[in-house]
Amino acid sequence: MKILVTGGLGYIGSHVVVELQNEGFEVVIIDNLSNSSIDVLKGITAITKKQPIFEKLDLRDKALVIDFFNSHQDISGIIHFAASKAVGESVEKPLLYYENNLNPLIYILQELQYKASSYFIFSSSCTVYGQSDALPITESAPIKQAESPYGNTKQIGEEIIRDTCKASANINAIALRYFNPIGAHDSIKIGELPIGTPQNLVPFITQTAIGKREELSVFGNDYPTEDGTCIRDYIHVVDLAKAHVSALKRLIEGNNTQNFEVFNIGTGKGYSVLEVINAFEDVSGKTLNYKIVGRREGDVIAAYADTTKANSILGWKAKLSLKEALSAAWKWENK
Ligand code: NAD
Ligand code: WQD
């Protein structure tokens, strides 16, 4: 079966392409290389011994999207990663985020409306929950006012898919709400490539440990948690990638009970920032230079997933530990 992976040279997309090819799917990648490198294609090919088809294309160009689907009529499934993802940048440039995260989504769904049947998987985010009143967070937790334009694009994206699925029974879709993906493939041939200063904790930790950054700022230690720092659910990117294959198979096998479903994808365990630092120091043997600074605007105190739905319905469970993910991130940084 031929699967289109948009943003397939990006961090999560590249790991998903590997898992799809390992499972025998034929993969076509679309990426405009706005936040990735063509070298990732070599990494994927080296791991799987199979080169996916690659088309450099900007999905904001509707005519190109139409042409693409016309010339690839045998595509049966789409995993849609392509988007802009920097929360801070989305506050500065909201229209860029609304355009890039929503227009391609609409153009792709418009093409799927004409197909006899299609399977669609959307990269959503735990950010749609904001600070949930109850922990762990279940899929039925209320969606609160988004903290950023980026977060809003994920909320609106889910609504667009929900409405489209209501109107088009031929489209079967799943939104996966990722918690915090970290780590790299254990071959260390693909991993995260943050451009500029990393916004996320783990790449900032590894860049500090290797000497690219002077010190890590820990944003606040006065939160109502055990050690005062925020709690998140850090999931190994390879576990996260495998969840996409499980979701896709659910749709292909027709096991979905509604034509739009939503699943949390996390480990179910929360770790504080200081716990992550300690675990990193353990696996790397390095002492991390860090200091406590003020809170970062928009941070929620704690977020970790209730993964019961994904575990029981998708038959998927995160298997890799925080230390395994940090060890892979550290090897990747060294490479
Ligand atoms: P990434 O930036 O590494 O990958 C996105 C890829 O899409 C990049 O290769 C980029 O070049 C490409 N792209 C962007 N706009 C495009 C366009 N208009 N046309 C074609 N290609 C385009 O990001 P990622 O971390 O792999 O995230 C993938 C998806 O998962 C995104 O939708 C993101 O919002 C979502 N997500 C990420 C996280 C995270 O922490 N990384 C968490 C939750 C959800
Ligand atoms: C984790 C923890 C920080 C950096 C973001 C997006 C979210 C989703 C996942 C896409 C927090 C602390 C961080 C640093 C620190 N992405 N931290 N010093 O904020 O949970 O979520 O990525 O959908 O939308 O907002 O992840 O890695 O930025 O932060 O102390 O230099 O580490 O305060 O507690 P976050 P993160």
Side-chain angles (χ1 to χ4, degrees), residues 228-255:
T229 63
C230 294
I231 292 173
R232 296 286 183 276
D233 184 338
Y234 297 93
I235 175 167
H236 196 304
V237 66
V238 171
D239 273 332
L240 172 62
K242 290 179 195 290
H244 292 75
V245 178
S246 303
L248 184 64
K249 286 187 173 167
R250 174 172 174 79
L251 297 181
I252 292 170
E253 288 160 13
N255 293 331

Side-chain angles (χ1 to χ4, degrees), residues 136-309:
I137 303 174
T138 65
E139 288 81 354
S140 53
I143 303 298
K144 298 205 176 141
Q145 170 83 45
E147 288 282 349
S148 68
Y150 167 77
N152 207 19
T153 66
K154 293 297 172 190
Q155 297 186 357
I156 298 170
E158 286 195 12
E159 284 169 12
I160 290 173
I161 301 167
R162 184 174 293 110
D163 290 342
T164 306
C165 286
K166 236 183 245 169
S168 305
N170 58 318
I171 303 178
N172 287 282
I174 287 180
L176 299 178
R177 292 177 179 160
Y178 315 151
F179 280 66
N180 293 53
I182 61 165
H185 193 266
D186 62 6
S187 65
I188 313 301
K189 291 185 185 340
I190 53 171
E192 192 170 6
L193 285 170
I195 292 174
T197 309
Q199 308 301 310
N200 295 114
L201 178 63
V202 170
F204 210 107
I205 288 179
T206 58
Q207 290 197 7
T208 305
I210 210 158
K212 268 196 226 169
R213 312 271 155 209
E214 209 171 302
E215 73 183 349
L216 168 79
S217 297
V218 172
F219 299 134
N221 68 347
D222 57 351
Y223 286 98
T225 62
E226 211 154 283
D227 62 24
T229 63
C230 294
I231 292 173
R232 296 286 183 276
D233 184 338
Y234 297 93
I235 175 167
H236 196 304
V237 66
V238 171
D239 273 332
L240 172 62
K242 290 179 195 290
H244 292 75
V245 178
S246 303
L248 184 64
K249 286 187 173 167
R250 174 172 174 79
L251 297 181
I252 292 170
E253 288 160 13
N255 293 331
N256 49 323
T257 49
Q258 290 164 322
N259 75 331
F260 179 52
E261 296 178 325
V262 174
F263 293 93
N264 282 343
I265 303 296
T267 66
K269 264 184 84 88
Y271 288 98
S272 73
V273 177
L274 292 180
E275 283 174 325
V276 174
I277 293 173
N278 288 338
F280 176 79
E281 290 184 332
D282 265 6
V283 298
S284 66
K286 289 262 181 186
T287 302
L288 195 74
N289 191 22
Y290 72 89
K291 70 162 185 246
I292 309 288
V293 301
R295 293 180 177 195
R296 179 172 71 175
E297 207 188 319
D299 268 339
V300 299
I301 305 163
Y304 49 95
D306 184 320
T307 60
T308 312
K309 190 175 172 196

Side-chain angles (χ1 to χ4, degrees), residues 36-190:
S36 52
S37 157
I38 190 67
D39 290 344
V40 176
L41 199 56
K42 289 186 205 145
I44 294 170
T45 308
I47 297 168
T48 60
K49 312 275 180 274
K50 200 177 163 204
Q51 172 142 351
I53 301 165
F54 172 61
E55 293 226 11
K56 182 168 185 272
L57 186 156
D58 193 323
L59 291 159
R60 284 171 294 192
D61 188 327
K62 185 172 178 173
L64 291 181
V65 174
I66 293 171
D67 279 356
F68 174 86
F69 278 95
N70 280 339
S71 53
H72 292 84
Q73 301 212 358
D74 53 345
I75 282 177
S76 22
I78 290 115
I79 309 188
H80 182 49
F81 294 101
S84 303
K85 64 164 180 178
V87 176
E89 186 187 45
S90 79
V91 177
E92 313 279 313
K93 301 175 184 167
L95 293 177
L96 186 147
Y97 275 69
Y98 287 112
E99 182 188 34
N100 201 38
N101 293 8
L102 298 176
N103 286 6
L105 172 66
I106 293 168
Y107 302 154
I108 292 169
L109 291 174
Q110 281 172 334
E111 293 308 302
L112 300 192
Q113 284 182 321
Y114 306 124
K115 285 181 165 284
S117 77
S118 63
Y119 312 118
F120 184 78
I121 298 193
F122 178 64
S123 296
S124 190
S125 169
C126 64
T127 196
V128 301
Y129 297 117
Q131 178 59 70
S132 172
D133 298 328
L135 289 167
I137 303 174
T138 65
E139 288 81 354
S140 53
I143 303 298
K144 298 205 176 141
Q145 170 83 45
E147 288 282 349
S148 68
Y150 167 77
N152 207 19
T153 66
K154 293 297 172 190
Q155 297 186 357
I156 298 170
E158 286 195 12
E159 284 169 12
I160 290 173
I161 301 167
R162 184 174 293 110
D163 290 342
T164 306
C165 286
K166 236 183 245 169
S168 305
N170 58 318
I171 303 178
N172 287 282
I174 287 180
L176 299 178
R177 292 177 179 160
Y178 315 151
F179 280 66
N180 293 53
I182 61 165
H185 193 266
D186 62 6
S187 65
I188 313 301
K189 291 185 185 340
I190 53 171

